[in-house]
Amino acid sequence: MRKHSKVALRQQSKDNVTESVADLLALEAPLDYKSSQMSMNVPPGGAAPKTKPEPSPDDEEDGRPAWNNKIEYILAQVGFSVGLGNVWRFPYLCQKNGGGAYLVPYFILLLLIGIPLFFLELAVGQRIRRGSIGVWNYVYPRLGGIGVSSLMVCAFVGLYYNVIIGWSIFYFFQSFQYPLPWSECPIRRNGTLAYLEPECERSSATTYFWYRQTLNITSTIDDSGGLNWRMTLSLLAAWIIVCLAVIKGIQSSGKVMYFSSLFPYVVLFCFLVRGLMLKGATDGIAHMFTPKLEKMLELQVWREAATQVFFALGLGFGGVIAFSSYNKRDNNCHFDAVLVSVINFITSVLATLVVFAVLGFKANIMNEKCVVDNAEKILGYLNTGVLSHDLIPPHVNFSQLSTEDYAEMYGVIKTVRGDSFDQLGLDACLLEDELNKAVQGTGLAFIAFTEAMIYFPASPFWSVMFFFMLINLGLGSMIGTMTGITTPVLDTFKVRKEYLTVGCCIVAFFCGLLFVQRSGNYFVTMFDDYSAGLPLTIVVILENISVAWIYGSKRFMQDLEDMLGFRPYSFYFYMWKYVSPFCLIILISATLIEMAVKPPGYNAWVQELAMERFESYPTWALIMCISLVVAAMLPLPLVFIARHFHLIPDGSNKLSVSYKKSMMKDISNLEDESRFILGKNPSETPSPMPTHRAYLGPGNSSPIELTTTSISSHGYGTSSQTTTTGPKTDL
């Protein structure tokens, strides 16, 4: 506003304003309507910049924390997106869905869904500088429930995800022993008689250690069995570590990320080098990368690839938005989106190489054991006359029996005995059968991988490194999850972050006691299946629709040009507008069909049989499963209805601190027929305000785009509105 204008003089004299709006406007320069308004610091009168804009001084002065440097931010995003799923979910999907052929649909869907939606979340967080709740309140208040649902899902996932870190902590400390405690079955004594534990002998030493020594699991979800005190202490340690990492927000978590994000790569490379030196490693890698191209024609493969892309990047959790909200507004978030996505993909492939190199080694060990065990059976049959010595090829030497010799001998015996062959109980001992044993999740990390490490030279060292890597992978994801919870709360309520963080961790620990009962593993499975999958998919498609269709893809592209200094590729326009929503609708439909067809249940460990058995959920557990889905999605309709009928404020006034500060410096407290006039610099023109609803986004049916921003200055009793009207911009 001009220093000597009528308005300024009238303010100084404290007289009542009597001039009409037309008189005021006559004193000002014409207004240019080209700029978009999603950025709260872009001057309404300025044209879109052709070069990268200078960072606003408010970025440093608004009191909002900021990353110390770009490396910390990238490591935080990498640490959040690269998690345990890259190590134990992606390799399993490769093995299950066609080996190397699975990489093709995964990479295609990474381009169509992953990178565009990841870029979208980074952009809105950086542009609006708020957590998930504030961002979606601002873009379209009626869909403000998106942020609340993200927070709910983060809370559910964080509860059971930290339990997995607790398990890793327990195994980490158990690894400082030689031999490793899961290398042999325990010996029981009955007087002078010593015998192996029957449950362990019927399964394996690593399986027994996992189910009995670690979890001490019950045989059904109905039997809680009480708290497992060792897992309770491990969970407490996990929450203490997480609390210390995030207690000061990004100031503390940024430093932790230097180690927690980089150390897993050191371990993976060490395991890869060591694994390639093991016998049979090449068999495992060849098995993994041998493409089964016919698998690419199956719809299930594409659905699982889309789901993996979706969760690998952490879309919908709010952590991505929260991290990017601490960036400067001129940060190149497009480069960040591509870089983090590529790193995530390369990490998944690297982890798959490591896993299959180790599993190939394990498969060779188990196959040799199978040959020895079955050779002893054949010798017994030869000594008792069940089998004739004529069936054994003359070149076979039982003291140095190779897998090829056994396969030849097995084929001869099977051909001669015919129908009575099954009574002998001999196994084929094929390496391919061992490699085809698909193991995922906890079974891969705590059973298959630990069993392979028994045969490593210096096995305790490798075990310590492996579980320390899992702790760091989990910690990076938990930091992002906790940031997705605390940032929206801190933006909404003025509380000290230290108090909020400690309070959240204490509450989460006590809620997490559900998972450290003896039946806790069954609840981990339940939460993993129902608390995140469907709700997160719905959250992300609503994010996509609110930006691309309600706010408008063209306007969003213009906002990105204002922010970045260059216009993103038109590829993103079509992805956000058409392709990504279509793919997400297909994914939601497939998820609903699978939930309807697949019987709800869990794999229970039956002690008497020493094996897993599928059990259906009891009625109370089914209600709990449904409640998890409903609780995560309930904020979406509740907020929509409440704001549609004006039962709660629209939330669009909770803008960034920098915006409020700039407004406090420039706002003119004028009242003329209940309308206010805003001027930010001498070249800007105040404009009369229509009295329609104030939120950013196309909420009317007019062909001319209207953008409205509403600010409530709490404590000053002042509100201000600014509206720009202009033609739609072309792509």
Side-chain angles (χ1 to χ4, degrees):
M1 186 175 297
R2 295 175 178 174
K3 184 175 179 181
H4 301 293
S5 67
K6 286 184 181 180
V7 179
L9 293 173
R10 188 60 60 97
Q11 277 187 301
Q12 294 172 7
S13 64
K14 299 183 180 179
D15 291 339
N16 293 329
V17 178
T18 58
E19 286 85 1
S20 68
V21 171
D23 292 335
L24 293 171
L25 294 177
L27 299 174
E28 304 293 343
L31 178 64
D32 185 3
Y33 294 106
K34 291 183 179 179
S35 69
S36 170
Q37 292 298 307
M38 190 168 188
S39 169
M40 295 162 291
N41 284 333
V42 175
K50 298 304 179 184
T51 58
K52 196 168 186 177
E54 291 296 325
S56 168
D58 290 323
D59 287 350
E60 289 82 20
E61 298 173 1
D62 65 355
R64 186 175 183 83
W67 297 102
N68 291 327
N69 53 65
K70 184 67 172 282
I71 295 177
E72 279 189 12
Y73 166 67
I74 294 296
L75 290 178
Q77 291 287 15
V78 169
F80 178 50
S81 65
V82 175
L84 298 173
N86 297 76
V87 175
W88 66 34
R89 175 79 176 158
F90 189 88
Y92 161 75
L93 291 175
C94 276
Q95 182 184 30
K96 176 186 174 186
N97 295 319
Y102 173 75
L103 299 178
V104 176
Y106 182 86
F107 188 74
I108 291 174
L109 291 170
L110 181 66
L111 294 177
L112 298 183
I113 299 178
I115 295 178
L117 294 180
F118 191 58
F119 179 30
L120 184 146
E121 288 200 357
L122 290 179
V124 295
Q126 179 175 310
R127 192 67 160 172
I128 302 174
R129 291 174 64 82
R130 306 295 288 169
S132 57
I133 294 179
V135 161
W136 304 114
N137 278 341
Y138 182 69
V139 173
Y140 186 58
R142 291 183 185 178
L143 288 181
I146 293 174
V148 185
S149 287
S150 294
L151 190 149
M152 294 288 292
V153 172
C154 278
F156 288 148
V157 172
L159 287 177
Y160 77 84
Y161 201 89
N162 219 28
V163 175
I164 301 174
I165 298 179
W167 294 340
S168 302
I169 291 173
F170 176 75
Y171 267 80
F172 172 74
F173 285 106
Q174 291 292 314
S175 299
F176 290 95
Q177 303 179 47
Y178 186 81
L180 291 170
W182 52 81
S183 60
E184 296 177 352
C185 287
I187 298 176
R188 305 299 183 198
R189 293 190 178 276
N190 185 5
T192 58
L193 180 64
Y195 59 94
L196 291 177
E197 170 63 44
E199 184 182 0
C200 180
E201 195 173 16
R202 287 195 297 268
S203 54
S204 69
T206 50
T207 304
Y208 177 82
F209 186 87
W210 167 242
Y211 283 113
R212 190 57 52 212
Q213 302 285 74
T214 303
L215 301 178
N216 194 17
I217 199 165
T218 59
S219 296
T220 172
I221 196 173
D222 285 312
D223 180 13
S224 69
L227 288 178
N228 181 335
W229 68 268
R230 288 188 291 188
M231 291 303 100
T232 304
L233 292 177
S234 298
L235 179 64
L236 177 62
W239 276 114
I240 290 174
I241 293 171
V242 171
C243 183
L244 293 176
V246 300
I247 192 167
K248 291 188 176 295
I250 61 172
Q251 277 73 27
S252 58
S253 62
K255 302 295 185 295
V256 174
M257 285 297 181
Y258 278 109
F259 185 81
S260 65
S261 296
L262 295 176
F263 180 75
Y265 290 96
V266 176
V267 177
L268 284 175
F269 277 112
C270 290
F271 264 99
L272 180 61
V273 173
R274 186 67 188 91
L276 292 175
M277 297 168 62
L278 298 171
K279 178 184 178 182
T282 53
D283 295 329
I285 294 175
H287 176 78
M288 181 264 161
F289 279 108
T290 301
K292 303 176 181 67
L293 298 178
E294 66 278 3
K295 284 278 190 179
M296 291 179 59
L297 302 177
E298 298 179 11
L299 183 61
Q300 177 73 3
V301 174
W302 289 83
R303 188 193 72 81
E304 292 190 343
T307 304
Q308 179 63 16
V309 167
F310 186 80
F311 289 108
L313 294 174
L315 300 175
F317 280 94
V320 172
I321 293 175
F323 280 149
S324 64
S325 71
Y326 298 115
N327 274 331
K328 295 180 179 180
R329 286 188 186 83
D330 63 340
N331 174 64
N332 189 348
C333 55
H334 173 255
F335 171 80
D336 301 341
V338 176
L339 177 64
V340 174
S341 300
V342 170
I343 291 175
N344 188 289
F345 177 69
I346 293 174
T347 305
S348 297
V349 175
L350 174 63
T352 302
L353 285 172
V354 171
V355 167
F356 274 90
V358 174
L359 292 184
F361 166 70
K362 174 179 174 285
N364 272 268
I365 295 291
M366 301 310 294
N367 196 54
E368 290 175 359
K369 262 179 96 173
C370 177
V371 168
V372 171
D373 293 342
N374 283 271
E376 291 179 355
K377 287 184 182 179
I378 294 174
L379 280 174
Y381 293 143
L382 292 174
N383 294 333
T384 56
V386 175
L387 292 177
S388 171
H389 287 274
D390 296 336
L391 298 177
I392 308 302
H395 65 276
V396 170
N397 182 0
F398 277 93
S399 61
Q400 295 180 345
L401 189 64
S402 65
T403 54
E404 292 80 10
D405 289 342
Y406 173 78
E408 182 182 355
M409 184 170 56
Y410 176 88
V412 172
I413 296 173
K414 185 176 182 180
T415 303
V416 172
R417 294 300 297 251
D419 296 337
S420 62
F421 174 78
D422 292 338
Q423 299 173 3
L424 299 176
L426 298 177
D427 298 318
C429 296
L430 298 176
L431 182 63
E432 190 72 13
D433 293 341
E434 287 290 338
L435 291 171
N436 281 329
K437 289 181 180 178
V439 183
Q440 66 162 323
T442 55
L444 174 63
F446 297 104
I447 298 178
F449 221 86
T450 52
E451 188 170 5
M453 285 188 294
I454 293 172
Y455 304 101
F456 278 29
S459 55
F461 168 79
W462 293 104
S463 182
V464 167
M465 293 284 284
F466 177 72
F467 288 108
F468 195 39
M469 178 189 72
L470 292 188
I471 292 170
N472 281 277
L473 285 172
L475 180 60
S477 297
M478 274 302 299
I479 288 174
T481 302
M482 287 296 295
T483 306
I485 296 172
T486 58
T487 297
V489 176
L490 290 171
D491 290 342
T492 307
F493 306 101
K494 299 305 177 186
V495 295
R496 288 195 60 175
K497 67 182 69 171
E498 293 86 353
Y499 295 157
L500 176 63
T501 301
V502 173
C504 286
C505 291
I506 291 174
V507 171
F509 168 72
F510 283 106
C511 292
L513 295 179
L514 173 69
F515 305 101
V516 291
Q517 303 175 98
R518 290 180 58 200
S519 61
N521 189 45
Y522 305 141
F523 290 98
V524 170
T525 302
M526 177 193 294
F527 272 65
D528 190 37
D529 290 341
Y530 291 95
S531 69
L534 182 61
L536 271 186
T537 313
I538 292 176
V539 162
V540 173
I541 193 173
L542 289 177
E543 289 180 356
N544 194 170
I545 290 172
S546 63
V547 170
W549 288 89
I550 298 176
Y551 181 75
S553 294
K554 290 184 179 180
R555 292 169 59 202
F556 187 54
M557 293 288 283
Q558 180 63 47
D559 292 335
L560 292 178
E561 184 176 359
D562 295 340
M563 181 172 71
L564 302 177
F566 64 90
R567 195 172 189 82
Y569 299 114
S570 300
F571 165 82
Y572 292 105
F573 175 88
Y574 296 107
M575 293 300 104
W576 291 328
K577 191 81 171 178
Y578 306 109
V579 179
S580 295
F582 175 77
C583 292
L584 289 172
I585 289 172
I586 297 296
L587 180 58
I588 290 175
S589 303
T591 303
L592 290 172
I593 292 172
E594 184 187 28
M595 292 176 68
V597 173
K598 182 181 177 182
Y602 62 101
N603 290 321
W605 178 259
V606 183
Q607 183 174 358
E608 294 76 18
L609 303 176
M611 61 180 294
E612 286 187 332
R613 182 174 64 191
F614 181 81
E615 297 283 349
S616 297
Y617 284 122
T619 304
W620 66 267
L622 278 175
I623 295 174
M624 190 172 178
C625 294
I626 296 171
S627 299
L628 288 173
V629 178
V630 172
M633 295 193 299
L634 193 59
L636 296 169
L638 286 183
V639 173
F640 186 90
I641 293 170
R643 286 186 173 150
H644 180 75
F645 293 102
H646 309 292
L647 301 178
I648 59 175
D650 64 17
S652 61
N653 61 328
K654 297 182 182 296
L655 304 179
S656 68
V657 178
S658 63
Y659 187 49
K660 290 181 179 180
K661 280 196 170 186
S662 63
M663 290 298 97
M664 288 299 97
K665 289 188 290 184
D666 300 322
I667 194 166
S668 297
N669 188 8
L670 303 177
E671 182 174 2
D672 180 23
E673 299 176 352
S674 301
R675 292 177 298 184
F676 298 93
I677 303 170
L678 173 65
K680 285 192 68 176
N681 56 52
S683 66
E684 279 188 26
T685 305
S687 58
M689 302 309 306
T691 58
H692 62 76
R693 178 170 174 76
Y695 68 86
L696 188 61
N700 53 68
S701 58
S702 171
I704 300 177
E705 293 190 13
L706 297 176
T707 305
T708 306
T709 305
S710 171
I711 309 125
S712 294
S713 304
H714 303 292
Y716 291 88
T718 305
S719 65
S720 172
Q721 293 178 329
T722 180
T723 300
T724 63
T725 307
K728 293 184 179 179
T729 58
D730 294 329
L731 176 60

